[in-house]
Amino acid sequence: MLSEVNDDGTTADGSALTDEIVRESARRMLAAAQKEEVNAEISEWDDQRDANGRRLVVRNGYHRPRKLTTAVGAVEVKVPRVNDKLVDEATGERKRFSSAILPPWCRKSSKISEVLLLYRHGLSSGDFVPSLERSFGSSAGLSPATVTRLTTHRQADHAAFMSRDLAEVDYVYTWADGIHLNASLNEAKACVLVLTGVRTDGSKELVALRGRYRKSGESWADLLRGCARRDMRAPVLAVGGDALGLWKALAEVLPATREQRYWVHRTANVLDAMPKSAQPAESAQPAAKKAIQNTYNAEDRDHAKAAVKTFAKRYGAKPSEVVRKTTDNQEELLAFFDFPAEHWIHLRTTNPIESSFSIVRPRRQVTRGAGLRIAAPAMVFKLVESAQARWRAVNAPHLVALVRVGARFEHGQLVERPGEVSA
């Protein structure tokens, strides 16, 4: 189910989005840790059999779900149940398996709260289980081999995601961007490239995510080629920043896809090009920013072009670099005007992808060493996958299918359907 996220980062019920993601990640990792704990217990007693040769310790479904109170709110847990028929020879009483991670009586755990707070403040999910082991000890059944299996689960999930068939899905719009990772010096240019898209029903989802050393054209081309090999149909429009590598790769791999440059990046570039001498009253930058906003918030393409001319006339006396950064790639900057007006707010920014990065950035400093290229993309994938369930559909989702089939829009309004002749 899609949930709307407010500007302040909260969901409709008022809870923080980051806390919701932490709770969901915690639920998944606790479930995996408990499963491994039970498997370790069963394996330990695998040779214990009754008179009929049946094992004395076996899985027996799950206990009823219960709420576990933590520092980030209540997390629903389902503890695996073990049918344990072992008998203590000293007392003659039956032994009972009890989870060291979540005992039957446990409804509130300060140890798990501590681990979740670490996770929220930067601990990656790959370190989550080792942290549980440090908190609960080796008695939790988390052997080194178990920890290794748990930390590789997300890598396997990421690999499966990146090899899935894309022939049955259709992304009409896509957003492309990358996030740099704070790694060791020899991997200073390591980054994760992310592609998200809008399906014909208006819903957003992650399309592809891959780790690379830099946001180069070849890195983007490799990502796009992988999508094309899996039969992804060329999107109608791709939204991204001014990174030349992206657009060169798009022209090579998906030439039918139109470009939409990201206005926030362009605005920052224009303001950076303005020398301090051009801002004597501390109002030049705000005024220039407002003038640029008047361009992409214009009511249609004609008014936007008029706003560009006004900007060029007003700041033409300044270094030409300022005006050039505003007038260059004008068609690519104004491409969104050829699409439904309801979609403009989505298409002139990369906010859909930036909101995902806001969940990743607090955790990007924890991955170090030689495993970065494998571990970091898998970590980012899991975080974005959790966030994806909370993405809301684009405005007027019914118009996305019309965009795909070639409907024509003028001033943001539908004027012609395929096969019709406009009046």
Side-chain angles (χ1 to χ4, degrees):
M1 180 181 295
L2 294 170
S3 299
E4 184 169 355
V5 180
N6 302 322
D7 293 338
D8 61 358
T10 61
T11 55
D13 62 2
S15 61
L17 176 61
T18 52
D19 282 351
E20 285 198 24
I21 292 175
V22 170
R23 285 194 292 270
E24 175 61 19
S25 299
R27 184 193 65 76
R28 294 184 184 185
M29 293 304 296
L30 281 172
Q34 291 173 88
K35 180 179 178 181
E36 291 293 341
E37 182 186 31
V38 168
N39 289 342
E41 174 74 8
I42 293 174
S43 297
E44 181 180 355
W45 303 104
D46 185 61
D47 60 340
Q48 299 295 310
R49 311 279 172 145
D50 62 16
N52 296 318
R54 298 187 182 93
R55 289 182 297 179
L56 295 178
V57 182
V58 295
R59 278 286 307 272
N60 187 25
Y62 289 89
H63 293 284
R64 294 179 62 182
R66 70 176 189 264
K67 297 288 187 178
L68 179 69
T69 302
T70 72
V72 292
V75 176
E76 184 175 272
V77 294
K78 288 177 63 177
V79 180
R81 185 161 48 194
V82 176
N83 188 359
D84 190 341
K85 298 180 181 178
L86 292 172
V87 176
D88 190 325
E89 296 180 358
T91 63
E93 297 180 356
R94 282 186 58 181
K95 295 181 178 180
R96 297 288 185 182
F97 167 76
S98 179
S99 171
I101 298 175
L102 287 176
W105 48 265
C106 182
R107 293 296 184 274
K108 183 176 182 180
S109 174
S110 59
K111 290 183 178 180
I112 290 179
S113 290
E114 180 181 351
V115 173
L116 293 185
L117 285 173
L118 288 172
Y119 184 91
R120 181 171 63 177
H121 292 293
L123 186 69
S124 71
S125 55
D127 296 321
F128 187 74
V129 174
S131 296
L132 280 177
E133 187 178 38
R134 288 193 294 271
S135 296
F136 297 101
S138 58
S139 60
L142 298 175
S143 65
T146 296
V147 172
T148 299
R149 285 198 299 272
L150 286 173
T151 54
T152 57
H153 282 172
R154 64 180 184 180
Q155 296 173 11
D157 290 345
H158 179 223
F161 175 81
M162 288 300 293
S163 62
R164 76 197 191 287
D165 184 15
L166 297 177
E168 299 301 320
V169 293
D170 186 5
Y171 301 109
V172 180
Y173 303 130
T174 58
W175 294 271
D177 207 348
I179 181 170
H180 285 285
L181 302 168
N182 294 346
S184 56
L185 292 177
N186 63 326
E187 293 182 332
K189 294 183 179 180
C191 69
V192 175
L193 306 181
V194 183
L195 193 68
T196 61
V198 174
R199 301 178 63 148
T200 52
D201 63 358
S203 62
K204 302 172 189 170
E205 68 179 26
L206 180 65
V207 179
L209 183 152
R210 176 163 292 171
R212 284 293 179 265
Y213 279 120
R214 59 185 65 83
K215 301 179 187 178
S216 67
E218 185 53 38
S219 294
W220 278 114
D222 185 55
L223 178 71
L224 295 176
R225 288 190 202 105
C227 294
R229 282 194 297 269
R230 290 180 285 133
D231 297 323
M232 184 185 82
R233 187 176 179 184
V236 177
L237 184 72
V239 184
D242 279 331
L244 297 179
L246 167 63
W247 305 117
K248 180 180 179 181
L250 188 72
E252 174 192 336
V253 182
L254 300 171
T257 300
R258 292 184 61 184
E259 302 175 15
Q260 171 60 54
R261 302 297 174 93
Y262 183 27
W263 271 98
V264 172
H265 286 174
R266 181 58 64 91
T267 301
N269 290 338
V270 171
L271 299 181
D272 287 344
M274 297 185 71
K276 294 191 183 332
S277 60
Q279 308 162 34
E282 297 185 354
S283 61
Q285 273 208 357
K289 184 176 181 180
K290 181 64 176 177
I292 296 171
Q293 290 174 337
N294 290 339
T295 302
Y296 62 78
N297 287 327
E299 58 187 273
D300 56 33
R301 182 189 294 271
D302 292 338
H303 285 82
K305 288 184 175 181
V308 171
K309 291 180 179 179
T310 299
F311 182 93
K313 182 178 179 180
R314 179 173 183 179
Y315 295 95
K318 306 297 188 296
S320 59
E321 182 74 4
V322 174
V323 174
R324 186 186 65 77
K325 287 181 178 292
T326 308
T327 57
D328 279 2
N329 310 114
Q330 190 170 135
E331 288 305 311
E332 290 80 6
L333 284 166
L334 304 180
F336 69 91
F337 282 115
D338 293 334
F339 297 88
E342 294 86 346
H343 298 172
W344 291 355
I345 192 172
H346 306 290
L347 301 180
R348 61 194 176 207
T349 74
T350 55
N351 284 346
I353 212 166
E354 287 291 335
S355 62
S356 303
F357 288 169
S358 68
I359 306 302
V360 175
R361 287 191 175 98
R363 298 168 176 81
R364 63 180 177 173
Q365 295 184 0
V366 302
T367 306
R368 294 288 192 273
L372 173 68
R373 283 173 291 167
I374 299 175
M379 179 192 74
V380 175
F381 166 68
K382 280 300 182 183
L383 290 169
V384 175
E385 184 184 47
S386 295
Q388 178 177 262
R390 296 160 179 83
W391 292 349
R392 69 179 183 88
V394 297
N395 299 334
H398 62 284
L399 296 176
V400 178
L402 292 178
V403 172
R404 167 52 81 187
V405 297
R408 188 163 61 89
F409 294 83
E410 289 184 2
H411 308 294
Q413 303 301 313
L414 178 66
V415 296
E416 182 180 339
R417 294 175 184 269
E420 296 181 346
V421 178
S422 59

